Amino acid sequence: MSELRRDPIIGRWVVIDPSRNFNKIAVSDSDVYPKDHSGCPFCPGNESMTRPEILAYSSNPKRLPNTPGWNLRVIPNNQPIFAIEGILKKRAEGMYDRMDGIGAHEIIIETAEHEVKTRTPENYETVYKAAMERIKDLRNDTRLEYILFFQNRGAAANAVFEHPHSQLLATPIVPKRIREEINGGKNYFTYKERCVFCDIVSQEISDETRLVAENDLFIAVCPYASRYPFETWIIPKNHGSDFDAVPGKDIISFSKISQTVFSKLGNVLDNPAYNVMIHTGPLKEKDLPYYHWHMEISPRLARPAGFEWGTGLYVNPVAPEEAAKYLRESE
Amino acid sequence: MSELRRDPIIGRWVVIDPSRNFNKIAVSDSDVYPKDHSGCPFCPGNESMTRPEILAYSSNPKRLPNTPGWNLRVIPNNQPIFAIEGILKKRAEGMYDRMDGIGAHEIIIETAEHEVKTRTPENYETVYKAAMERIKDLRNDTRLEYILFFQNRGAAANAVFEHPHSQLLATPIVPKRIREEINGGKNYFTYKERCVFCDIVSQEISDETRLVAENDLFIAVCPYASRYPFETWIIPKNHGSDFDAVPGKDIISFSKISQTVFSKLGNVLDNPAYNVMIHTGPLKEKDLPYYHWHMEISPRLARPAGFEWGTGLYVNPVAPEEAAKYLRESE
């Protein structure tokens, strides 16, 4: 017997059905990425293959821009979804609405190494700090409404490049899923006078069954209404709606739990492909009492059933309690 | 320069960016389906491989159930997402909500032929009539809230079986996407006192640029804010919220335009994989003035960018005007 579970934030029902067959994603990294990565545009020595860097971290103070010697490098995407030049030109077309694709699309090259075997918490910290630095700068552009931090890892997660990288997509609209979470959070707050994410943190710590990891300031859980097998969220214990407002010492805890969670996912699922996303508040709605930033990690293991695309009704063949147990017990 | 377009029904923004590279879906039917289809459970002679039939159409009045001689056959899914036996047992789990997976999951085997070369409007009519007959019967079960008609064709659309089939999924909840469309339609109706879909039909007929086909009672269009390349909707000109309430003579027109549209998609895209869905009103909300049933066809050509999964922000590399032009000019 399958079970329907309701996401407490946006009200989406998902089907949890452990009796179901699992259609594995067929594509593998070796099908997609070349073995010889000397042509990788993100590797040191190939700096001229990318557009000029926006930001770089280096231990050599004399390093010149766009030359090797960096530990992390931020560049504009060569194929940006949104361009920084131009004006929005919001306009009607009969009953329809449109605007130009103004925004920014940057790539954070997370490390000089093409293949990283083991990651330290410090690696994560560098990436998060670079993302925060870029978000703070992009906040000055009043045309922008939202900045999305995301990572695609592996061919099954549709990562175009193999070299470890994150992306920042700054958009002139608030993406639909974020708006749904904010509206859901607002409704919950109106009714309960509490943040729904804060309540989730409390319940998950006391339930323990879906808990993957916990430290002083963060928990990692497989959410109650997980859409995907081994879906995992990292949620801060302290309330805050804006990722880029998190104090530096809290980022150290966030980096530590990130390292723990990705190490566990790598061990249990044998280095899966995954998509990562930081859900944070809109640029022009700061310090919301009813929204709570968090990170969502979706391993790409199972192919979706056809109707998931069109209905938003997800079928998940792995109960989150089962996934969390595996992850909790692994290193 | 990309462009942002807003869906007038649910308010979702999509990015239309014809300058973008198109990452084709890698999986092909020959990778997934066996060449020898003598073991196909949907082929005549293999009736014992399925659960006993619920409905069958045959030109032989003496045919016995679960034997060959049928033209169309409806069976319960061997691996149902929802089961018909049991009670819902809605219950709380702390702050969370759950219920048992009660419902129905049926398969319409559309034809006795495993490989169908050309389809007639009559083929479509038979399938739609069987679906309507089953929906009318399932309406008697008061535990059910919604019935979804959908088709997955081809490996890239995650069809488990190659033999042409549709599915009916009866659920104890209204799927999220449908609820969004109904709420969006209600908001538009409150403001304009008109159905948003009726307005779309008028504007698309007068604009012509996104029109794929038209007959006495239906239009086929590539929607203004298409999420996918060559996404196509079939919308009835006459207002009505319930698919199973459509009169028989209208179904003839629906079958004719279906045959036209799928023939065009097959010719232009070389028999693509696709997902089809009929969006209709919830079972317990009949004759809604602000909702309008329709069919959504999503060819599966491009791999999604990673962030589409988590944000609902779709990037479509083919403008609907361009797609519609190709389809309009093809047979």
Side-chain angles (χ1 to χ4, degrees):
Chain A
M1 170 75 72
S2 67
E3 183 180 287
L4 278 155
R5 295 187 180 189
R6 189 169 175 274
D7 173 293
I9 306 154
I10 64 171
R12 170 185 50 218
W13 288 93
V14 303
V15 182
I16 307 287
D17 187 0
S19 74
R20 256 192 121 55
N21 282 350
F22 207 119
N23 296 312
K24 278 208 180 154
I25 288 185
V27 61
S28 76
D29 287 4
S30 55
D31 299 339
V32 173
Y33 304 122
K35 263 200 182 144
D36 171 14
H37 56 76
S38 58
C40 169
F42 297 169
C43 276
N46 293 344
E47 286 80 5
S48 64
M49 293 171 71
T50 70
R51 291 166 70 189
E53 68 198 31
I54 300 166
L55 174 71
Y57 294 158
S58 170
S59 46
N60 173 9
K62 293 188 181 159
R63 172 188 173 265
L64 293 173
N66 305 306
T67 63
W70 47 271
N71 305 317
L72 175 145
R73 197 166 171 252
V74 182
I75 53 169
N77 193 322
N78 270 343
Q79 288 209 307
I81 292 169
F82 297 113
I84 202 83
E85 301 84 12
I87 54 167
L88 281 173
K89 286 192 271 182
K90 293 190 187 186
R91 55 207 187 272
E93 190 169 344
M95 68 184 294
Y96 301 126
D97 304 288
R98 68 202 290 183
M99 63 173 95
D100 281 353
I102 300 294
H105 192 171
E106 302 182 357
I107 289 178
I108 301 172
I109 307 171
E110 299 177 6
T111 157
E113 288 171 88
H114 191 91
E115 286 173 285
V116 186
K117 290 289 171 233
T118 47
R119 287 222 176 192
T120 62
E122 289 70 31
N123 295 145
Y124 289 92
E125 199 184 333
T126 313
V127 174
Y128 297 147
K129 288 206 161 159
M132 292 169 98
E133 192 173 336
R134 289 304 308 139
I135 294 171
K136 281 182 183 138
D137 183 43
L138 288 163
R139 269 192 187 275
N140 295 320
D141 188 334
T142 56
R143 299 167 305 173
L144 303 176
E145 298 286 342
Y146 198 79
I147 300 175
L148 181 71
F149 171 94
F150 66 101
Q151 297 172 328
N152 303 337
R153 283 292 149 77
N158 291 343
V160 177
F161 297 102
E162 191 179 29
H163 194 118
H165 64 286
S166 307
Q167 300 184 60
L168 286 172
L169 189 66
T171 62
I173 52 134
V174 177
K176 180 166 174 287
R177 178 66 43 82
I178 307 297
R179 183 54 72 201
E180 287 170 3
E181 285 188 355
I182 291 172
N183 289 344
K186 201 187 274 179
N187 290 342
Y188 190 93
F189 195 88
T190 304
Y191 187 57
K192 303 253 191 190
E193 297 187 36
R194 290 194 306 268
C195 163
V196 62
F197 292 91
C198 290
D199 276 9
I200 289 173
V201 170
S202 303
Q203 177 154 350
E204 293 302 343
I205 290 173
S206 87
D207 276 3
E208 290 185 349
T209 51
R210 284 173 295 274
L211 212 55
V212 172
E214 182 181 358
N215 67 19
D216 54 342
L217 295 174
F218 289 84
I219 64 166
V221 291
C222 293
Y224 180 75
S226 291
R227 288 158 292 177
Y228 313 109
F230 290 86
E231 179 176 351
T232 306
W233 292 11
I234 299 177
I235 316 176
K237 291 181 181 176
N238 292 337
H239 183 82
S241 64
D242 305 304
F243 169 61
D244 65 322
V246 174
K249 68 168 183 41
D250 293 21
I251 290 299
I252 295 174
S253 293
F254 181 44
S255 304
K256 281 182 184 161
I257 201 165
S258 297
Q259 193 271 337
T260 305
V261 167
F262 286 103
S263 161
K264 284 171 178 288
L265 285 168
N267 290 334
V268 169
L269 303 174
D270 193 17
N271 293 314
Y274 54 80
N275 301 103
V276 175
M277 213 157 303
I278 291 181
H279 285 191
T280 180
L283 296 176
K284 292 171 187 165
E285 297 165 49
K286 287 184 81 169
D287 294 325
L288 299 175
Y290 45 79
Y291 193 62
H292 194 120
W293 79 271
H294 61 282
M295 174 179 266
E296 300 192 359
I297 306 160
S298 304
R300 294 295 161 197
L301 307 168
R303 292 157 55 197
F307 60 87
E308 297 181 355
W309 279 304
T311 59
L313 181 66
Y314 291 84
V315 179
N316 179 356
V318 180
E321 293 77 13
E322 193 73 6
K325 185 169 180 288
Y326 277 111
L327 293 171
R328 210 163 44 233
E329 291 172 359
S330 155
E331 286 192 7
Chain B
M1 171 75 73
S2 67
E3 184 180 286
L4 279 154
R5 296 187 179 190
R6 188 169 174 276
D7 175 292
I9 306 153
I10 64 170
R12 171 183 48 217
W13 288 92
V14 302
V15 182
I16 306 287
D17 186 0
S19 74
R20 254 193 121 56
N21 281 350
F22 207 117
N23 296 311
K24 278 207 180 154
I25 287 185
V27 61
S28 76
D29 287 5
S30 55
D31 299 338
V32 173
Y33 304 122
K35 263 199 181 145
D36 171 15
H37 56 76
S38 58
C40 169
F42 298 168
C43 275
N46 292 345
E47 287 78 5
S48 64
M49 292 172 71
T50 70
R51 292 165 69 189
E53 68 197 32
I54 299 166
L55 174 72
Y57 295 158
S58 170
S59 47
N60 172 9
K62 293 187 180 160
R63 171 187 173 267
L64 294 174
N66 306 306
T67 63
W70 47 272
N71 305 317
L72 175 146
R73 194 165 175 254
V74 182
I75 54 169
N77 192 321
N78 270 344
Q79 288 211 306
I81 292 170
F82 296 113
I84 202 83
E85 302 85 11
I87 55 167
L88 281 174
K89 287 192 270 181
K90 292 188 189 185
R91 56 207 187 272
E93 191 170 341
M95 68 183 293
Y96 301 126
D97 304 288
R98 67 203 290 182
M99 64 173 91
D100 280 353
I102 299 294
H105 192 170
E106 303 183 355
I107 289 177
I108 301 172
I109 307 172
E110 298 178 8
T111 158
E113 288 171 88
H114 190 91
E115 286 173 285
V116 186
K117 290 287 173 234
T118 47
R119 288 221 175 191
T120 62
E122 290 70 31
N123 294 145
Y124 290 91
E125 199 184 334
T126 313
V127 175
Y128 297 147
K129 288 205 161 158
M132 292 168 97
E133 193 174 336
R134 289 304 306 140
I135 294 172
K136 280 180 184 139
D137 183 41
L138 287 163
R139 270 192 186 276
N140 296 321
D141 188 334
T142 55
R143 299 168 306 173
L144 302 177
E145 298 286 342
Y146 198 79
I147 300 174
L148 181 70
F149 171 94
F150 66 102
Q151 296 172 329
N152 303 337
R153 282 294 148 74
N158 291 343
V160 177
F161 296 102
E162 190 178 30
H163 195 118
H165 64 288
S166 307
Q167 301 185 59
L168 287 171
L169 187 67
T171 61
I173 51 133
V174 178
K176 179 167 175 288
R177 178 66 41 82
I178 308 296
R179 183 54 71 199
E180 287 170 3
E181 285 187 354
I182 292 171
N183 288 345
K186 200 188 274 178
N187 289 342
Y188 190 93
F189 194 88
T190 304
Y191 186 57
K192 304 253 192 191
E193 297 188 37
R194 293 192 306 269
C195 163
V196 61
F197 292 91
C198 290
D199 276 9
I200 290 173
V201 169
S202 303
Q203 177 154 348
E204 294 301 342
I205 290 173
S206 86
D207 276 3
E208 289 184 351
T209 52
R210 284 173 296 273
L211 212 55
V212 171
E214 180 181 0
N215 68 18
D216 55 341
L217 296 173
F218 290 84
I219 64 165
V221 292
C222 295
Y224 180 75
S226 291
R227 286 158 294 176
Y228 313 109
F230 290 87
E231 178 175 350
T232 305
W233 291 12
I234 299 177
I235 316 176
K237 291 180 181 176
N238 293 338
H239 184 82
S241 64
D242 305 304
F243 168 62
D244 65 322
V246 174
K249 69 167 181 41
D250 293 22
I251 289 297
I252 295 173
S253 293
F254 181 45
S255 304
K256 281 182 184 161
I257 200 164
S258 298
Q259 193 272 335
T260 304
V261 168
F262 286 102
S263 161
K264 284 172 179 287
L265 285 169
N267 290 335
V268 169
L269 303 174
D270 192 18
N271 293 314
Y274 54 80
N275 301 103
V276 175
M277 215 160 300
I278 291 181
H279 285 192
T280 180
L283 296 176
K284 291 171 188 166
E285 298 164 50
K286 287 184 83 168
D287 294 324
L288 300 176
Y290 46 77
Y291 194 63
H292 194 119
W293 78 271
H294 61 283
M295 174 179 266
E296 299 191 2
I297 306 160
S298 303
R300 294 294 161 198
L301 307 169
R303 292 157 56 197
F307 60 87
E308 296 179 357
W309 278 305
T311 59
L313 181 66
Y314 291 85
V315 179
N316 179 356
V318 179
E321 294 77 15
E322 192 73 6
K325 185 169 179 286
Y326 277 110
L327 293 171
R328 208 164 45 234
E329 290 172 0
S330 156
E331 283 188 11

